Amino acid sequence: MFERILIANRGEIALRIIRAARELGCETVCVFSQADRDGPWLEQADHTVCIGPGPSAESYLRIDRIISAAETSHADAIHPGYGFLAENAQFAEVCRDCNIEFIGPSPEAMALLGDKISCKNMAREAGTPIFPGSHDAIEDPNEAIQVAKDIGYPVIVKAAAGGGGRGMRIARTEEELVDGLASARQEAEAAFGNGAVYVEKFLEHARHIEVQCLGDKHGNAIHLFNRDCTSQRRHQKLIEEAPAPGVDPAVCDGVCKSAAAMIRNARYSGAATVEFLMDRDQNFYMLEVNTRVQVEHPVTEAITGVDVVKESIRVAAGEPLLKSQDEIEVRGHAIECRVNAEDPDRGFMPQPGLVEEFNVPGGMGVRVDTHVRPGYRIPPNYDSMIGKLIVHADTRTDAIARMDSAISEFRVGPIKTTLPLHRRLIASEPFVKHDFDIHWVERLLEEPEPVAAD
Ligand code: ADP
């Protein structure tokens, strides 16, 4: 096992990793920016190192500063958490060159699954369902037109290197397709330095369902069943649950197994999530693979009892996965609400500033992952998530009731949060009946439906 793990992240995920590391007997080093110097999670780390000013580009995204912090503090591994450098293959490579274990996949596996075209090819080989469309990058507009004719409009042009919704264009006509191809390529070239784009079928009404996978360095890969993340706003997940309600178990089983096969074939070590859209006839189509731990991992932990973060550390240290696929069972139902410091009544305006009141709920089946406490000042520099409220119960109905009760107990002030919105969402008919698609929250809020993340 590692002696000392450096955590290249902040907030609730830094605290989550500190807890896992401590249970495994590892010391922790937390890097922090000047804006985070009073971050309560830093008190829990064994060592802390300031790596620069508040803006992420000058601190949490600075590979050179993080590596030198690891070297001077004698860390033998780095956990990137999510966001920042977590899916940066170059960072994983620099770690390897410096003899520091990157807690996550090899740079090769990350690149293979991070590129949407090579990922699609991996999926095809593993029998993971993908969207119909072009298999390779498309340069010639005539080729795109032919693909669209074969699969039928609407189609979506997507960047191979895409992320954050950039380099995506929906096309309902040939004209839109030709325009979309050119503009998506331009946008992708500017954003990612890689202008490769491809065309696939665009699904109008879909649910977002994803499969949590874990792989080790001994060729083992398993899945921890699925999560439903259909409740989103502008492609930002708001509520996640596990398992995905109302999905045919046989369909689900096949999709989960194929996701694990894909991870195995990629010689993947660590936590990965294979994301899908599911149409109304329960056809699954792979969207992409996230090569890191995700915000919503606790719902999977609740229903399987597997500690996803500890497992990711263990496998990085060369240990085999603790459990085989046969030993993984689903128990009950879990729901997570993301508590964002945003004002839903004012266009989700971020709410940085002093948190005076912060009274978290408790009780059976209630978990709160947060770095916030009364007196904490939310810096304006980072994303607005200040915590996650997770509940677990025997059934989905019980979990909804437990969530409602937990939210009513959760007091935050004077800053506004998404908690009151969550209470409304979990009580509304589309959610209760899980008769929803990825735009249901926007419809409820009567917001225009965006076509891609901004
Ligand atoms: P990014 O990596 O940029 O986030 P994704 O491939 O994850 O891109 O897609 C982002 C979002 O765009 C998805 O969550 C989904 O809502 C929408 N999307 C992407 N591809 C399709 C598709 N083929 N049909 C319908 N919606 C899609």
Side-chain angles (χ1 to χ4, degrees), residues 116 131 156 158 162-166 168 198 200-204 206 208 232 235 275 277 287-288 438-439 451-453:
K116 294 191 186 193
F131 283 101
I156 182 167
K158 292 173 82 170
R166 278 173 301 178
M168 287 198 312
Y198 61 101
E200 68 185 20
K201 181 80 190 156
F202 180 73
L203 216 59
E204 300 274 7
H208 176 115
Q232 316 181 345
H235 296 301
E275 296 192 329
L277 290 183
L287 267 181
E288 64 172 345
I438 50 175
H439 295 297
V451 291

Side-chain angles (χ1 to χ4, degrees), residues 299-328:
V299 288
T300 298
E301 296 183 328
I303 62 158
T304 61
V306 175
D307 186 319
V308 172
V309 178
K310 254 162 79 178
E311 278 299 87
S312 71
I313 298 172
R314 288 184 57 263
V315 297
E319 293 183 22
L321 287 170
L322 264 183
K323 288 192 173 177
S324 67
Q325 190 69 62
D326 298 342
E327 292 170 298
I328 310 288

Side-chain angles (χ1 to χ4, degrees), residues 168-205:
M168 287 198 312
R169 295 286 183 282
I170 296 165
R172 296 177 191 279
T173 61
E174 200 172 297
E175 205 185 344
E176 284 178 9
L177 176 59
V178 174
D179 286 353
L181 200 66
S183 60
R185 193 183 294 137
Q186 243 170 30
E187 193 172 304
E189 183 67 54
F192 316 111
N194 172 1
V197 296
Y198 61 101
V199 173
E200 68 185 20
K201 181 80 190 156
F202 180 73
L203 216 59
E204 300 274 7
H205 295 282

